[in-house]
Amino acid sequence: MPNENVIRDKLAKSLTLLEPGLTLIETNHPLPNKAGSKGFVDILARDRRGKTVVIELKRSDQAAREAMHEILKYMRLFMEHHGAEAHEIRCFVVSTTWRELLIPFSEFRRRCEAQTEGFEIVVDSKGRVMRAKRVTDHALDQASLFYHHGVIGFMTSAERKKAKPLILDSLSQKGAAGHLLFHLDYEGKSKAVIYPFATYIVPTKIEPKVVKSLQKEALKDLAEAEIEQQRYREQLLLARVIRSVLPRIRELNYDVEIGYPEKFTQMVERDWSVKSLERSGPFADKKVTPEATLIDLVKGIGGMNVFRFERLTSPSQKLDWAQARAASAHCLEGNHVWTAGYNWFLDRIETTYPEGDVLARIYNPQMLPETIYRIVSERELAYMPAINLTVSQDGVDKEALIGGVTWDEKTIPKSHQDVFARIKDGVSGYYFALFLHDAAHFDSILMKRHGLSYSLWRATFDDNGGEVTSRIVISRDGKVRERKATPKPAMLPDFLIATPDYVVDLMNEIEQHVGRQLEVREHASEDGAG
């Protein structure tokens, strides 16, 4: 095959084979580099809309990593030397073979600021370009835990054992190329739990051929953003699996539900224990992904869980830091005060402790009636909304952002009817909205009716362990100010202690309408259809 310079010069004379309207500016365009060796763009061209086109030619299947590194360097040098913005440049990667180049090129395209396109060319013995065709990205066969899960409850462990091979077969038949199968046993005392032996199904990967059919169906039914499309595809696959399983376990006593990160979290952190875990596909290696790590992943506390978020990160790890900020915003959505204060504190950390370690823990359920119900009925303060971000440097804590629910010490609700007056059907209507995952928008109303509010403090620590705390005040337009903190503000537990008549009234109303019914709905149904 002719050498690369010959092919370059021939291609420069027939640029329209790549794209109509391309005109040549220069071949072997020099790029000065003060920080290292200079470079040369093989062909510099201009498209019919006036955009500059950087064309890099690769003659053979050379080291793909080296090739893409070279192109990335040239793009950056070009932008620096010519004062060009990324959107003003296009990059064409042209090669006679793509066997080793396709995967790194596809990843390069996803990360490169400038629009990048690939072309495979066919040349004759004299280096003339006979034809060219665009290269389609390699579809990365990426795995991820599904947001939606399947939960099948059984009356006995023997029934669960009998159903397991049928569930595995249905997963395989319907295109799940990877899965997690948790066996959970109920160890609580509630008699409402009729099906105490659960199989918790989390698909992790879909066969490529099945992805296409799911994508077609998803596009037909839901014209939304990519993340919504992905979630909908997951639901479709899970529905196919469940529909395939049910006729095969008809003779067993079972119940079916849809799971999700918050549900899994509630189960394994309360009355359900993980007895075993079976896995296939991307998360099958126990050395790489231990069981405890997988449980945390399914809980979604790293970003999928809308109530909980936990992460150890650092501004010095820019990609992880940016992803952590985005994921925690998902958890804080709807909480104006905590969102503003949290972002303010993270900005402060970036400036003051750029190398610091940040441990973030957030619990933001925004469902006050259920929070009160759980705290009182289970006598467990872990259900209180809370936020805690601690930044440390060289192993020493420096600052912390602390959040909780405070009480004004004046508001004493008269009755549940008074508090829920602005919600259609009162407590019953609220819990129906909660069942539909649509109750968070009632949170601000209910907090105000109880005299409660979300509050924040910043604590700083000296070398001797001393602590100075200031109150964070958020204005309506999101501006953040610090004030001297009051010695001991009244908190949610103080409200519960001070309002025993109202708490009993609310608890009785919840029990009457939805308390035990919720437990039954979670774990049982008469017809077994879920």
Side-chain angles (χ1 to χ4, degrees), residues 1 29 32 44 85 88 147 153 159 161 163 168 224 249 276 297-298 300 318 332 376 416 434 440 456:
M1 180 178 287
H29 178 74
L44 194 63
E85 298 288 340
E88 299 173 320
Y147 178 81
E159 288 178 311
K161 184 177 181 180
L168 292 173
E224 297 288 348
I249 61 173
S276 66
L297 287 173
V298 179
K318 297 187 184 301
L332 287 169
V376 175
H416 70 268
L434 187 64
L456 288 170

Side-chain angles (χ1 to χ4, degrees), residues 226-295:
E226 172 58 26
I227 184 62
E228 298 302 328
Q229 288 278 340
Q230 178 182 333
R231 295 263 174 98
Y232 190 51
R233 291 195 298 268
E234 293 177 0
Q235 291 181 57
L236 291 173
L237 178 71
L238 202 53
R240 291 180 184 182
V241 171
I242 297 298
R243 283 199 300 266
S244 173
V245 168
L246 296 188
R248 309 172 75 177
I249 61 173
R250 193 184 304 277
E251 75 280 5
L252 305 178
N253 296 296
Y254 69 89
D255 173 52
V256 178
E257 298 177 50
I258 294 298
Y260 39 89
E262 295 81 11
K263 184 175 188 64
F264 184 78
T265 302
Q266 290 174 3
M267 291 178 73
V268 300
E269 291 189 357
R270 287 175 58 195
D271 299 323
W272 294 79
S273 63
V274 178
K275 291 302 181 182
S276 66
L277 167 61
E278 296 186 31
R279 36 175 144 181
S280 72
F283 299 97
D285 195 322
K286 296 179 182 179
K287 298 188 295 296
V288 176
T289 317
E291 182 175 307
T293 301
L294 276 178
I295 289 174

Side-chain angles (χ1 to χ4, degrees), residues 263-402:
K263 184 175 188 64
F264 184 78
T265 302
Q266 290 174 3
M267 291 178 73
V268 300
E269 291 189 357
R270 287 175 58 195
D271 299 323
W272 294 79
S273 63
V274 178
K275 291 302 181 182
S276 66
L277 167 61
E278 296 186 31
R279 36 175 144 181
S280 72
F283 299 97
D285 195 322
K286 296 179 182 179
K287 298 188 295 296
V288 176
T289 317
E291 182 175 307
T293 301
L294 276 178
I295 289 174
D296 283 345
L297 287 173
V298 179
K299 286 181 181 178
I301 56 178
M304 290 195 299
N305 195 313
V306 297
F307 299 153
R308 297 257 308 262
F309 176 80
E310 294 182 13
R311 181 77 70 86
L312 177 63
T313 186
S314 170
S316 64
Q317 299 173 351
K318 297 187 184 301
L319 287 177
D320 186 67
W321 179 257
Q323 198 281 332
R325 292 197 67 155
S328 54
H330 174 64
C331 176
L332 287 169
E333 187 175 352
N335 191 325
H336 166 73
V337 171
W338 281 6
T339 296
Y342 180 85
N343 288 330
W344 168 82
F345 191 68
L346 291 186
D347 290 343
R348 176 184 174 85
I349 290 172
E350 289 180 12
T351 302
T352 312
Y353 304 101
E355 299 295 323
D357 295 314
V358 181
L359 179 61
R361 290 192 178 99
I362 302 170
Y363 178 52
N364 181 38
Q366 296 184 94
M367 48 183 187
L368 182 61
E370 184 67 3
T371 295
I372 293 174
Y373 178 82
R374 295 298 180 185
I375 291 174
V376 175
S377 65
E378 300 181 28
R379 299 181 182 181
E380 179 55 72
L381 295 180
Y383 289 105
M384 285 202 305
I387 185 171
N388 190 305
L389 277 83
T390 302
V391 55
S392 60
Q393 197 158 278
D394 299 323
V396 179
D397 290 346
K398 296 296 185 180
E399 294 189 21
L401 181 73
I402 303 163

